[in-house]
Amino acid sequence: IDSLLGPKFPGGGGGEDIASQHDDPATCVVIDLHTTTANMGISLIIPEGDALMSAAAAYVLDKCRRKYGVDGAQCLMHALPKRRDRMNLSSCGRHGFTIEVGPTPQGVIRHDAVEKTEVAMRALLEFLHLRNLELEEHQQQQPKGDDGNDASSSPILDNLNELYPGGIVPCYRSAPAMRPGELSGKISWPADPANPNFPAVMVHKSLQDRDFHPIRAGDPLFVRLDGTVVPYDGSHGEEVHLVFVNEGGYYYASSGTGIGVAVTSRFDFRTGWFVVDSDDEDGAVEEVVVEEKDSYE
């Protein structure tokens, strides 16, 4: 895969900054299509710091919500700007975008899930096509000696600015991973002593199919086989939002067992970086300062 789409690490190393990692990959954009057993709706997953994918996510999010409602599509951003730190297919190319749709059982083809995937994918390709046309036209109009990087005139970006005042897009920020080999943080469940791929508890019924909903310390989380309720202990923060609730793929120890954790956040689609609110409280998952230096224009 890396030889077809990458290399992920130019020169065998992988630079310290985003730009150095984007020099040599054979693929400009990798779109990774996923289904999930969890009730994630249409989830657009992108990395922090990629301005092109951030603008694309803002565009796709609006298109999907117009068709399926505000709760029908969400954006989840990983605070991992460096490609070398992301263990997923989309990180092999210069830019990566994951479309995750659920719920659907493993090994089953559902028409509605396929249709939602197509809606999101077509919107993403539409954005990339329109943006490419704008950049090509802009470069053709530049006088000799102009580097063509001034993309101040962009109908598609102007439209996004109208949809998202100040360029600010609501999203969820995944919690930092606490175990080696994981992309983001999870609340782990205890495994059966005889089978590491089978949980020793059940996800509490109040959480089932309620992905992106908040849970607070003390709320029911798991249920033991004897009926004992195990509450959320606040290990990721007093209040967090759960994602990939009871995901079938997370039953396997090799994938990292448990339930995904995120917090509500915002990003600037013009830069791809998270936005800091001055009144944010300290917590296990904190916002980071907006960076202005990495803009794809």
Side-chain angles (χ1 to χ4, degrees):
I1 292 175
D2 190 54
S3 63
L4 291 172
L5 304 178
K8 184 171 181 177
F9 304 116
E16 289 299 319
D17 58 86
I18 295 174
S20 66
Q21 297 178 56
H22 287 179
D23 288 340
D24 299 322
T27 309
C28 291
V29 179
V30 175
I31 306 172
D32 193 3
L33 304 181
H34 273 248
T35 59
T36 170
T37 62
N39 190 27
M40 293 284 286
I42 301 174
S43 295
L44 314 174
I45 305 176
I46 56 173
E48 182 186 14
D50 190 326
L52 177 61
M53 293 297 94
S54 296
Y59 185 89
V60 177
L61 184 66
D62 175 67
K63 290 282 187 178
C64 291
R65 286 183 167 181
R66 287 178 184 271
K67 185 174 180 65
Y68 297 107
V70 174
D71 294 333
Q74 306 293 344
C75 183
L76 178 65
M77 179 177 277
H78 292 310
L80 297 170
K82 296 178 181 178
R83 292 193 296 131
R84 69 177 186 179
D85 296 330
R86 304 196 301 272
M87 303 75 66
N88 55 8
L89 176 65
S90 60
S91 65
C92 291
R94 181 172 301 176
H95 304 281
F97 197 107
T98 298
I99 299 172
E100 188 106 34
V101 175
T104 185
Q106 293 174 336
V108 173
I109 300 176
R110 283 183 50 156
H111 181 204
D112 57 343
V114 172
E115 187 177 63
K116 289 177 180 179
T117 302
E118 288 182 329
V119 168
M121 183 176 65
R122 289 181 185 278
L124 173 56
L125 295 176
E126 180 180 69
F127 171 84
L128 294 173
H129 175 65
L130 293 174
R131 188 64 183 134
N132 279 337
L133 291 178
E134 286 184 351
L135 291 174
E136 289 174 2
E137 181 180 359
H138 182 76
Q139 290 174 353
Q140 292 172 0
Q141 294 174 351
Q142 294 305 306
K144 188 175 181 180
D146 194 307
D147 61 9
N149 287 330
D150 179 12
S152 57
S153 177
S154 168
I156 193 169
L157 296 184
D158 290 343
N159 180 61
L160 288 179
N161 273 313
E162 292 182 4
L163 292 171
Y164 305 100
I168 306 305
V169 182
C171 70
Y172 291 87
R173 179 186 180 189
S174 59
M178 294 185 173
R179 293 177 291 186
E182 292 186 343
L183 193 61
S184 57
K186 296 176 185 174
I187 300 174
S188 182
W189 52 54
D192 187 292
N195 184 353
N197 296 325
F198 195 83
V201 295
M202 297 177 286
V203 174
H204 194 273
K205 63 183 180 181
S206 63
L207 304 179
Q208 186 62 53
D209 299 326
R210 290 178 60 80
D211 297 77
F212 295 107
H213 283 73
I215 184 173
R216 299 171 180 83
D219 287 349
L221 179 61
F222 299 126
V223 180
R224 296 192 179 99
L225 298 183
D226 64 2
T228 303
V229 174
V230 180
Y232 169 53
D233 62 5
S235 57
H236 285 272
E238 183 67 21
E239 178 180 296
V240 295
H241 294 250
L242 301 183
V243 292
F244 296 104
V245 176
N246 212 6
E247 161 61 41
Y250 292 168
Y251 276 49
Y252 299 97
S254 59
S255 299
T257 58
I259 303 174
V261 182
V263 294
T264 56
S265 188
R266 302 181 301 161
F267 66 86
D268 189 330
F269 78 78
R270 299 164 300 183
T271 64
W273 296 96
F274 285 111
V275 175
V276 176
D277 290 325
S278 59
D279 58 349
D280 278 344
E281 296 180 356
D282 292 336
V285 184
E286 300 177 350
E287 300 288 7
V288 297
V289 177
V290 175
E291 298 282 352
E292 298 291 346
K293 61 183 180 180
D294 293 300
S295 179
Y296 68 87
E297 290 92 354

